[in-house]
Amino acid sequence: MKILVYTLFLSLSLTSCKVNTIEQWTVFEASWETIKEYNNPFSEVEVNVVFEREDNKWIIPAFWAGDNKWSVRFAPPVIGEYTYYPESTDKGDPDFNGGKQSFKVIPYQGENALLKHGFIQISENKRFFEHADGTPFLWLGDTWWKGLCKRMTWEGFQELTADRKAKGFNVVQIVCGPYPDEDMMEARWENEGGKPYETIDFSTMNPAYFDYADRRIKHLVDNGIVPVIVGGWGRPQGGGRSTLAQVGLEGYKRHWRNIIARYGAYPTIWMVGGEVKDSYGPWSELAGYLKDTDPCNHILCYHA
């Protein structure tokens, strides 16, 4: 009996001391659930997750994944030991405050250049693109503005990805949000999970839409293609007003926070909006919000 008790104790001790291991630049994902009920979880509460390694800290926005669940994705840029814990704007919810955990990062072992060399950045001399480790990156891009809706089937998306990969493309520009030349909240926005939002101010989000969008964004990255994600279109449409004017600045911030939380752990590039100008105040303010919200410092640009 004593031997059995000791063996069980040793087994439990080894299990509790086990540290998760992940490869550098790959996506680490963790989730939390709360017993607290929110009327509109997407717009009522914000959850961040703090990742720490030695003196470095990354505050990563988490995304509402449906029901009472929030998830975070993080691509560790250096090898070593990390700890992480959640923080919430609702300080009264203990499920999202505290509880430090850990994992270990080892070198990447695969052949995907986006994971082997790291995120895309602008060179120090501002003349070319490069990976995080200094390896040059030649942008050879294609435009699939409406590639996240079901007008392009999942099978068609895979076929097109394979075609572009075979031809040497390494960038795809794709809209996640209001489309060019279409009115707000059209049925044509839908993918297999429905529309991205249920209200024009983007206060009520549909997680199922983004679950299906996840599959396509990940597929691009798995095939060595950088997704350049466009958050929406700026040209006046649907009554002669821009999408930002119709959604509102706060709604667009919610939208972009959700995009950053979902896709910031991938080697993405952010395109704030299509046919917009930084000189127009609200778009400039939105670009500043993106810069402040994304701790991974992805390249930020406009489609002018």
Side-chain angles (χ1 to χ4, degrees):
M1 187 66 176
K2 290 183 178 178
I3 294 176
L4 283 174
V5 171
Y6 177 76
T7 303
L8 178 60
F9 175 77
L10 179 61
S11 175
L12 290 173
S13 296
L14 290 174
T15 301
S16 64
C17 292
K18 183 179 178 181
V19 177
N20 291 326
T21 300
I22 187 173
E23 292 182 345
Q24 183 183 15
W25 294 116
T26 61
V27 177
F28 172 84
E29 183 165 345
S31 298
W32 291 261
E33 293 190 16
T34 179
I35 60 173
K36 184 172 181 177
E37 296 291 337
Y38 294 97
N39 292 325
N40 186 345
F42 177 67
S43 58
E44 281 184 47
V45 62
E46 290 184 354
V47 178
N48 292 321
V49 180
V50 181
F51 289 83
E52 296 177 327
R53 181 192 175 276
E54 297 179 350
D55 294 331
N56 297 314
K57 178 186 289 188
W58 300 262
I59 301 176
I60 307 292
F63 60 91
W64 177 56
D67 297 325
N68 293 336
K69 179 180 176 182
W70 273 257
S71 297
V72 69
R73 293 171 180 162
F74 176 62
V78 291
I79 61 175
E81 303 279 348
Y82 288 74
T83 60
Y84 64 99
Y85 57 90
E87 293 182 333
S88 170
T89 52
D90 183 357
K91 301 304 180 185
D93 189 343
D95 296 318
F96 292 140
N97 293 281
K100 187 174 287 191
Q101 301 180 65
S102 63
F103 63 94
K104 182 179 180 181
V105 178
I106 61 176
Y108 175 67
Q109 302 298 315
E111 294 301 322
N112 187 326
L114 301 180
L115 306 181
K116 191 174 184 178
H117 302 296
F119 288 169
I120 309 303
Q121 61 190 21
I122 299 172
S123 64
E124 188 175 351
N125 63 10
K126 311 296 183 186
R127 292 180 177 272
F128 57 89
F129 296 110
E130 63 182 15
H131 291 271
D133 67 356
T135 301
F137 177 81
L138 177 62
W139 178 304
L140 182 58
D142 198 13
T143 298
W144 309 355
W145 288 145
K146 302 173 185 182
L148 292 185
C149 70
K150 64 183 179 183
R151 283 172 274 177
M152 181 186 289
T153 65
W154 170 233
E155 292 73 22
F157 191 94
Q158 294 174 86
E159 181 180 351
L160 186 57
T161 301
D163 176 84
R164 292 306 190 261
K165 180 181 179 180
K167 291 173 178 174
F169 285 80
N170 58 10
V171 166
V172 160
Q173 300 179 157
I174 194 166
V175 177
C176 184
Y179 287 134
D181 306 312
E182 296 184 16
D183 291 339
M184 294 295 295
M185 312 302 290
E186 284 198 31
R188 293 187 294 172
W189 288 20
E190 294 180 359
N191 66 12
E192 299 89 336
K195 294 178 186 177
Y197 298 96
E198 298 175 17
T199 52
I200 199 169
D201 66 351
F202 291 176
S203 61
T204 307
M205 188 264 283
N206 172 21
Y209 171 91
F210 289 95
D211 289 341
Y212 280 101
D214 285 358
R215 179 169 67 168
R216 299 191 180 202
I217 297 298
K218 182 178 184 299
H219 186 69
L220 290 175
V221 174
D222 288 345
N223 283 275
I225 296 176
V226 173
V228 180
I229 298 179
V230 189
W233 221 257
R235 181 197 315 148
Q237 54 197 50
R241 296 195 302 154
S242 73
T243 61
L244 194 152
Q246 294 182 70
V247 174
L249 182 58
E250 293 307 309
Y252 248 104
K253 286 180 178 179
R254 283 191 292 268
H255 171 56
W256 261 113
R257 177 183 168 85
N258 186 42
I259 291 175
I260 291 169
R262 287 263 183 178
Y263 308 123
Y266 294 106
T268 52
I269 290 171
W270 308 135
M271 192 173 282
V272 184
E275 298 188 44
V276 302
K277 295 181 179 180
D278 195 56
S279 57
Y280 178 59
W283 286 105
S284 180
E285 185 175 341
L286 181 61
Y289 174 81
L290 264 68
K291 198 169 185 178
D292 292 340
T293 306
D294 174 20
C296 298
N297 298 316
H298 291 287
I299 294 173
L300 194 63
C301 62
Y302 292 109
H303 177 68

